[in-house]
Amino acid sequence: MRVLLTGGAGYIGSHTALCLLQAGHDVIVLDNLDNSSPESLRRVQELTGKQAPLIVGDCTDEKTVTRVFEQYPIDAVIHFAGLKAVGESVAKPLKYYQNNLDATMVLCKVMPKYNCNVLVFSSSATVYGTNQEMPLREDFPTGCTNPYGWTKWISERILTDVAAADPTRSFILLRYFNPIGAHESGRIGEDPAGIPNNLMPFICQVASGKLDHLRVFGDDYPTRDGTGERDYIHVMDLAEGHLAALEYAIKRSGVEIFNLGTGTPYSVLDIVHTFEQANDLKIPYEITPRRPGDIAVCYADATRAKELLHWEAKRDLNAMCRDAWNWQKQNPRGYNG
Ligand code: NAD
Ligand code: UD1
């Protein structure tokens, strides 16, 4: 299959590109490099011995997307391209709605002109909003608490409506839980700009001495140790989930939703302690008040993906912590170091 990865130079996209190339597929990347570097794809090539051509361009621009389809016959699209910083989305909602929704709509418009019907979409567990019942199942009610989340929710809606109107379409909505870690080589990984918002990149920068300590946002949640619990998933497991989703989608039509998580929640302190043990170092931390907008617990019911996609996460928390640090250690300044 020849697969177009929008946003394929980014964190999850580059790991997925590697998996697809290793599985014998051809990969084309369309990325505006807003939050990534072409170096990620150069390293994917170094690891696989295969090239994924990069088209530097914007997925919200219909002419650009059309040009890509004119240039390459494409069997399927994995749509990673999107802005993802929750805080920024609250400050600049229009930027998020415009980028994330236009990109989804432009793809929906251009793809059928080239008989390309299969699309796998990067959604997020954030669409489950403040659901209290765990584990989260795909048929639970949805709703969001910030503009970023709503762009995922509305994209899911758009894709569902477009597929309902055209029975030839096959769309898969993947709701990712918390991807962390890196390829085991340490050559590709997560390269956040500025001070990281998310837990694992923050811990990695504390470990490297770039930041002096971790702030644990609240120890008064109704959880085992009082800190927030999440479903962390190794980015390589997540990448493999995309391969399974593609194989499923090409044989069918309609819309399907899958959680991609492990089904096991870990607390902030579980992560800190496992990271310390796996890598034999100390992570100084202090307990601070809760971060506004955070929920206590969030984890997946991962059975649907197991039953229908024949996929489940294989790597444990130890591997996630080891691989995250291996990447950080080798690339203290990310791709541009
Ligand atoms: P990332 O920022 O590393 O990758 C996204 C890529 O999309 C970047 O390379 C960026 O340059 C590109 N991009 C953004 N807007 C574009 C546009 N208009 N045209 C072309 N390229 C564009 O993020 P990631 O962590 O790899 O996430 C990939 C997708 O998964 C995103 O849609 C994100 O919202 C979603 N997601 C991520 C997480 C997570 O924790 N990382 C969780 C749930 C969902
Ligand atoms: C965040 C986003 C969510 C997005 C997800 C994946 C918010 C409010 N939510 O989720 O929309 O889908 O990332 O990109 O930003 N923590 C600390 N100290 C830190 C950082 C985090 O204690 O410096 C805690 C958090 O309170 C939480 C856990 O670590 O309990 C995980 O946080 P994070 O990695 O930011 O992911 P989410 O909050 O799950």
Side-chain angles (χ1 to χ4, degrees):
M1 243 188 295
R2 180 176 276 121
V3 189
L4 171 65
L5 307 193
T6 71
Y11 173 44
I12 303 168
S14 55
H15 289 79
T16 305
L18 181 138
C19 268
L20 291 173
L21 290 168
Q22 284 180 335
H25 298 293
D26 291 325
V27 171
I28 315 289
V29 172
L30 172 63
D31 199 304
N32 63 7
L33 303 180
D34 179 82
N35 193 39
S36 53
S37 158
E39 177 63 12
S40 63
L41 295 174
R42 205 195 56 73
R43 295 190 185 183
V44 167
Q45 181 177 353
E46 163 201 298
L47 290 167
T48 60
K50 295 175 183 172
Q51 204 200 349
L54 165 67
I55 295 128
V56 179
D58 207 294
C59 196
T60 63
D61 180 39
E62 194 175 330
K63 286 200 187 99
T64 302
V65 176
T66 302
R67 208 166 3 97
V68 176
F69 277 86
E70 283 290 330
Q71 202 176 342
Y72 300 96
I74 289 164
D75 301 302
V77 176
I78 308 183
H79 180 32
F80 296 105
L83 299 171
K84 63 165 187 176
V86 175
E88 189 192 37
S89 82
V90 175
K92 299 178 181 169
L94 281 178
K95 179 177 171 187
Y96 274 68
Y97 285 116
Q98 200 147 32
N99 190 72
N100 293 2
L101 300 183
D102 281 358
T104 301
M105 288 190 287
V106 164
L107 284 168
C108 285
K109 204 169 157 191
V110 175
M111 287 172 63
K113 295 182 185 159
Y114 297 88
N115 289 322
C116 181
N117 300 317
V118 176
L119 182 134
V120 175
F121 175 65
S122 298
S123 190
S124 167
T126 196
V127 301
Y128 290 114
T130 51
N131 259 297
Q132 303 279 317
E133 196 188 332
M134 297 289 153
L136 293 159
R137 240 186 19 235
E138 289 86 347
D139 59 355
F140 278 16
T142 53
C144 299
T145 54
N146 58 69
Y148 164 72
W150 285 114
T151 69
K152 294 298 174 190
W153 191 95
I154 298 168
S155 284
E156 286 198 358
R157 185 73 254 157
I158 292 169
L159 292 166
T160 304
D161 290 343
V162 168
D166 175 356
T168 66
R169 308 261 197 162
S170 180
F171 293 162
I172 306 272
L173 315 178
L174 297 179
R175 293 179 179 162
Y176 309 156
F177 281 69
N178 288 55
I180 58 172
H183 185 257
E184 61 177 8
S185 65
R187 295 295 290 155
I188 56 172
E190 186 170 13
D191 183 15
I195 296 176
N197 293 312
N198 296 117
L199 180 64
M200 183 56 90
F202 201 103
I203 289 179
C204 284
Q205 296 201 6
V206 172
S208 72
K210 216 166 155 183
L211 297 169
D212 57 56
H213 71 284
L214 170 72
R215 286 173 304 143
V216 174
F217 297 143
D219 67 349
D220 55 352
Y221 285 106
T223 58
R224 282 175 292 121
D225 63 20
T227 67
E229 292 182 348
R230 296 289 183 275
D231 186 337
Y232 297 94
I233 175 169
H234 195 294
V235 67
M236 287 305 297
D237 279 325
L238 191 70
E240 287 163 13
H242 290 76
L243 192 58
L246 269 186
E247 283 162 3
Y248 182 85
I250 49 163
K251 296 188 209 122
R252 291 175 177 75
S253 63
V255 179
E256 295 285 353
I257 305 177
F258 295 101
N259 287 336
L260 293 188
T262 64
T264 306
Y266 287 106
S267 73
V268 177
L269 293 181
D270 288 334
I271 303 291
V272 170
H273 296 139
T274 308
F275 191 95
E276 290 182 331
Q277 278 158 18
N279 300 312
D280 195 21
L281 36 78
K282 280 312 262 183
I283 300 297
Y285 68 85
E286 65 163 332
I287 307 289
T288 68
R290 294 178 179 190
R291 179 171 66 181
D294 271 358
I295 48 176
V297 182
C298 175
Y299 64 98
D301 179 329
T303 46
R304 194 159 196 276
K306 187 175 176 184
E307 282 170 14
L308 296 179
L309 302 181
H310 309 298
W311 167 91
E312 65 183 317
K314 298 194 291 264
R315 296 158 179 91
D316 64 11
L317 191 59
N318 207 56
M320 299 182 217
C321 291
R322 183 198 61 212
D323 293 340
W325 175 235
N326 187 34
W327 149 258
Q328 174 73 35
K329 204 168 44 179
Q330 290 187 43
N331 305 273
R333 281 184 294 276
Y335 287 116
N336 299 321

